[in-house]
Amino acid sequence: KDFKPASFNAALAFSHQHVVTVRPSQNAFDRRLEILPRSNNIITPINYSRRKSLALASSSDDTETTDTSSSSSTLKQDIYNVATLIGAQALLVPIAVFIAQFSNLPNIGLGSQFQIGSVAIVDGLRWTLPLFGVAGLLRIVEPYSSALKDVTRATQRSVLSVLGSTRRPFFALLVSCILGAVAGIGEEWLFRGVFQQLLTDKFGSSSISLAVSGLVFGLLHAVTPVYALLAGAASVFFGYLYNISHNLAVPMITHAVYDVFALMWAHWSVTGLEQEERDAILLDYQGAPVLSTNTYKEGHLNVSDDDDEDDSPKVYNS
């Protein structure tokens, strides 16, 4: 199941306003579209993307000189998007430390029994198995559930926005490992080590703290209702691991490893789709927030602040 890496979309929503590209404006594409044959009265988003592809192809005079720079620019932009997302996720660590110190929590919120050793690593890896089992089950059920399909499309949209539409295994693996580690450490530190512990101290009940922290975690990941439900359930699971192990390193490792595989799977599956399918995912804005809205390149939409005009599919008269 292409269910999100935890907090992937929440951090993306936090950071997407700061991600700007310098790709060709919408007007430039629309001017090229005007010279193309007009065979339909109304075009769909997919047909719209096909026309944009043809518009790009119509400028073949510049293709050889611009292909290299465009590819380089695309990679640079993807790296910038990733760095922005990592930075947003990494902010959770100083926030956790500040709250822990202010609240006098032991070991700056990591807990008195925090230890990264062989036992914690083995336990952390072992507890990923239930997560992968649930993900596989959701994958089987997905064709019969439109709500689960929305979760997948939301995840795919986020992955396309951050990693791009080109399959780059080594780049994706590197980014997945970094994002997985940052999310696993930052979120578990803040939500389990600090927030959950403060709730337990206040109410004297681990059940209440699990429920409240899971609810908050789910709401912060409310890309879709089912997405929020799944994120909340994952939060309860990670909190349970912390309660039974008394070592925050265990849920950190479980969380990080699962995120790495989830990101890689999402990248691999979405880049295997046809160009038109990827375009349709990016043009559907009802799910996860994307880093961009206006410009188009190689099936990858990106933000441009240069143009405030409506970029919805246009009506062409035959």
Side-chain angles (χ1 to χ4, degrees):
K1 180 79 190 76
D2 294 339
F3 171 52
K4 68 117 196 105
S7 179
F8 185 68
N9 288 286
L12 191 58
F14 173 83
S15 61
H16 81 288
Q17 292 296 337
H18 307 287
V19 181
V20 180
T21 68
V22 288
R23 304 225 159 77
S25 68
Q26 184 72 25
N27 287 336
F29 285 112
D30 288 341
R31 284 195 296 271
R32 286 182 182 176
L33 291 175
E34 291 298 328
I35 66 173
L36 297 176
R38 298 173 178 180
S39 56
N40 327 39
N41 289 332
I42 300 177
I43 61 173
T44 64
I46 290 180
N47 285 333
Y48 184 57
S49 68
R50 285 174 178 170
R51 284 184 176 271
K52 285 195 168 185
S53 297
L54 290 173
L56 284 174
S58 69
S59 59
S60 56
D61 296 342
D62 312 315
T63 298
E64 291 185 3
T65 59
T66 60
D67 276 352
T68 302
S69 60
S70 175
S71 176
S72 175
S73 175
T74 298
L75 180 59
K76 289 180 180 179
Q77 184 59 45
D78 290 337
I79 292 174
Y80 178 75
N81 291 349
V82 168
T84 303
L85 182 56
I86 291 174
Q89 283 274 43
L91 286 176
L92 297 181
V93 173
I95 293 173
V97 172
F98 174 79
I99 297 175
Q101 289 181 329
F102 182 80
S103 305
N104 295 317
L105 291 177
N107 200 14
I108 57 175
L110 291 172
S112 57
Q113 300 185 43
F114 178 81
Q115 183 179 9
I116 300 179
S118 58
V119 174
I121 293 174
V122 171
D123 285 346
L125 293 174
R126 178 167 59 91
W127 282 111
T128 61
L129 297 180
L131 292 176
F132 290 127
V134 172
L137 180 61
L138 292 175
R139 185 73 175 176
I140 295 174
V141 177
E142 181 189 329
Y144 310 99
S145 171
S146 59
L148 289 177
K149 290 178 182 178
D150 289 341
V151 173
T152 295
R153 288 177 70 85
T155 303
Q156 290 174 333
R157 190 175 305 112
S158 298
V159 171
L160 282 172
S161 298
V162 175
L163 296 178
S165 60
T166 303
R167 180 172 291 177
R168 294 179 293 219
F170 296 108
F171 175 74
L173 179 60
L174 176 62
V175 172
S176 298
C177 289
I178 296 174
L179 279 175
V182 171
I185 294 171
E187 291 189 356
E188 295 310 304
W189 199 335
L190 178 60
F191 286 95
R192 256 59 69 182
V194 175
F195 187 48
Q196 181 176 307
Q197 187 60 50
L198 289 175
L199 291 172
T200 300
D201 293 343
K202 180 175 178 59
F203 296 106
S205 170
S206 60
S207 298
I208 293 178
S209 65
L210 279 177
V212 174
S213 61
L215 176 62
V216 173
F217 194 83
L219 291 175
L220 291 174
H221 293 76
V223 179
T224 72
V226 174
Y227 201 107
L229 179 63
L230 292 174
S235 174
V236 172
F237 178 72
F238 294 136
Y240 169 76
L241 293 185
Y242 184 36
N243 286 344
I244 64 174
S245 67
H246 304 290
N247 184 1
L248 193 61
V250 174
M252 281 182 173
I253 293 171
T254 302
H255 190 153
V257 172
Y258 176 77
D259 277 10
V260 171
F261 280 90
L263 267 173
M264 282 299 296
W265 172 257
H267 172 72
W268 194 266
S269 61
V270 77
T271 54
L273 299 176
E274 295 295 330
Q275 182 70 63
E276 290 81 1
E277 294 177 284
R278 296 197 298 269
D279 296 345
I281 290 172
L282 287 170
L283 286 167
D284 177 11
Y285 300 127
Q286 296 178 357
V290 293
L291 296 177
S292 53
T293 55
N294 293 338
T295 59
Y296 178 94
K297 56 92 188 168
E298 300 178 11
H300 186 182
L301 299 178
N302 283 283
V303 163
S304 174
D305 289 340
D306 300 332
D307 218 14
D308 292 333
E309 293 185 7
D310 179 20
D311 64 329
S312 58
K314 306 295 188 297
V315 177
Y316 292 89
N317 297 319
S318 56

